[in-house]
Structures are given as C-alpha cells and as structure tokens.
C-alpha cells in the first residue's frame, strides 16, 4: 500500500503520534542516562558510556537533519523565506550536536533553555504549513524538534546536569544575538524567520500576545521570567551541583 500525505492538522492523528513518540523517547532516554550515571566511576561526572552515547546521538542528529536540509535547497524546493537555516530550531540542533558531543556546560545551557521551552512549544503548537506524514516537510519539522528536546531531557534528567545563573545569562545572550541578526536579515530580505517580523499564518500561542511588535516584547518578557523560574529551583537544591560547577 502506498502512503499518501494529506494536510497536517494540529492534534490530529499524526500530531498525536509524534507526541506519543516524544513521550516514549523521553522515558527511554531518562532511564538510559541514569544507568550510564550509575556505571560511572566514583567521582567521575560523566562516564565513558555517556561520552560514547553522546557522540553517537550527535551523529544521529546530523544524519536526520542533513536529508531534510538538503531537500529544502533543491531547485524545486528552494525559497529564500524558508530554506535558509535561520530558524532558532536550526541553531538549536547545532547546539544539540555540540552539547552531546562535548557534554559541556554551555552546550547544556542552550539545550536546557531552548529545548525545554522553545523547541517544546514547537512540538505542542507546530507551525507546519506542509503536508502530513509521510511528507518530507512533516519529517523535517518533527525529526529535529524531537531530537532537540530529547537531548535536553537526556542531559537534565538522565545524566543529571543542572542549570545555573551563568548558563542562564549565556543562553539569554546567545538568544539575543540570534534574534537581532535574524530580525535584520528579515528586514533586508523580506522574510520572517523566527516569526520576529510577523506572526505565523497558522494558529500558534503568539495569537494570545497581541499584534507586532507587542507580541515580540511579550515574548522577551516571558522568556526572561520563564527561564529564571526554571533556573531558580535547581540553584536552591544544594544536593545537585550546577552544570558548570
């Protein structure tokens, strides 16, 4: 039987299938990470098993992303408003590769804040204008998003890495740098990467935040406060050392 793709519908069967896969992957990666922690040598923050798996996971992200990214660059698919790797998700999967390869504090900080808030929001309210599964647009959206959020879950609740205020400041600075550069590019090229210059045509949580530029300012406030709120509890739990400690 040949599968044919219809139009994607938020919280339709294919969306729920992706969310179910997301939940199963989270559970499996948390158990795996904890087992790797238990197998580490005494006093060793990250053991050999975790380092090996992190590199393999990083290469898996490369494998998943290359196919979909190359597809967007083909002559029949290319468009300046959607083919360039300028979405925050594109930066996030690069950060995920670095975080998993090095298991370092700065890469983890980006995964914690980007993966557990912005990329997770993308999974819950996907701005997907393309066709449904098994179309390449569906796979190209959910594949990287799933692997980014899984990486954040694995590092945090699997390997036990923890955010701190230094990581918070680094993530805020990195996000601001991306936003300014992308906003300027959007103005020059008449594009809308990151939805910094206009809201997506499909329904999203941005519809609750008013018109431009108020929704952008509201996003900034929500991100600063929200990231602070998900940092503060970890810094209060002294039995968990900070990621950069």
């Amino acid at each position: 039987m040949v599968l044919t793709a219809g139009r994607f519908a938020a919280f339709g069967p294919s969306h729920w299938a992706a969310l179910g896969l997301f939940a199963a992957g989270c559970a499996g990666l948390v158990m795996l990470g904890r087992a790797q922690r238990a197998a580490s040598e005494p006093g060793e923050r990250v053991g050999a098993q975790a380092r090996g798996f992190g590199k393999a996971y990083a290469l898996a992200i490369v494998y998943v992303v290359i196919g979909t990214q190359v597809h967007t660059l083909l002559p029949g698919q290319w468009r300046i408003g959607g083919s360039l790797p300028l979405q925050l998700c594109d930066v996030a999967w690069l950060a995920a590769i670095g975080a998993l390869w090095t298991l370092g504090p700065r890469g983890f900080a980006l995964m914690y804040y980007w993966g557990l808030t912005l990329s997770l929001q993308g999974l819950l309210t996907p701005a997907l204008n393309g066709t449904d599964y098994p179309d390449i647009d569906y796979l190209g959206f959910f594949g990287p998003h799933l692997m980014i959020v899984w990486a954040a879950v694995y590092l945090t609740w699997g390997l036990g890495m923890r955010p701190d205020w230094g990581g918070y400041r680094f993530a805020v600075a990195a996000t601001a740098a991306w936003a300014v550069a992308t906003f300027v590019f959007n103005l020059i090229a008449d594009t809308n990467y990151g939805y910094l210059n206009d809201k997506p045509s499909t329904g999203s949580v941005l519809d609750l935040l008013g018109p431009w530029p108020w929704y952008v300012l509201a996003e900034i406030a929500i991100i600063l406060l929200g990231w602070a709120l998900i940092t503060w509890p970890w810094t209060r739990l002294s039995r968990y050392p900070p990621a950069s400690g």
Side-chain angles (χ1 to χ4, degrees), residues 23-205:
C26 286
L29 285 168
V30 168
M31 290 189 292
L32 175 64
R34 291 182 176 179
Q36 291 169 344
R37 262 198 288 171
S40 299
E41 296 294 331
E44 189 178 34
R45 185 176 68 85
V46 178
Q49 290 185 11
R51 289 194 296 270
F53 177 77
K55 289 180 171 59
Y57 192 171
L59 293 174
I61 295 177
V62 173
Y63 177 80
V64 168
V65 169
I66 281 179
T68 56
Q69 288 293 315
V70 169
H71 176 263
T72 65
L73 300 176
L74 296 176
Q77 302 296 325
W78 161 259
R79 58 186 182 89
I80 193 171
S83 298
L84 297 175
L86 295 178
Q87 302 284 15
L88 186 61
C89 174
D90 298 311
V91 185
W93 64 254
L94 287 170
I97 292 169
L100 291 162
W101 192 272
T102 66
L103 300 179
R106 287 196 167 185
F108 165 71
L110 295 180
M111 281 299 88
Y112 183 78
Y113 296 106
W114 289 353
L116 296 180
T117 58
L118 305 179
S119 294
L120 180 59
Q121 186 266 328
L123 284 177
L124 297 176
T125 58
L128 188 59
N129 294 314
T131 48
D132 207 348
Y133 178 86
D135 188 80
I136 189 67
D137 290 337
Y138 174 94
L139 299 175
F141 180 88
F142 281 105
H145 277 79
L146 284 170
M147 299 193 82
I148 291 166
V149 185
W150 278 339
V153 170
Y154 167 72
L155 294 172
T156 306
W157 288 281
L159 294 188
M161 301 181 73
R162 301 294 182 241
D164 57 20
W165 293 114
Y168 170 86
R169 291 189 292 271
F170 175 73
V172 169
T175 307
W178 164 82
V180 170
T182 303
F183 180 78
V184 171
F185 179 86
N186 286 339
L187 288 178
I188 295 171
D190 192 26
T191 56
N192 191 30
Y193 287 99
Y195 304 114
L196 295 172
N197 300 64
D198 196 8
K199 288 188 287 189
S201 57
T202 58
S204 77
V205 70

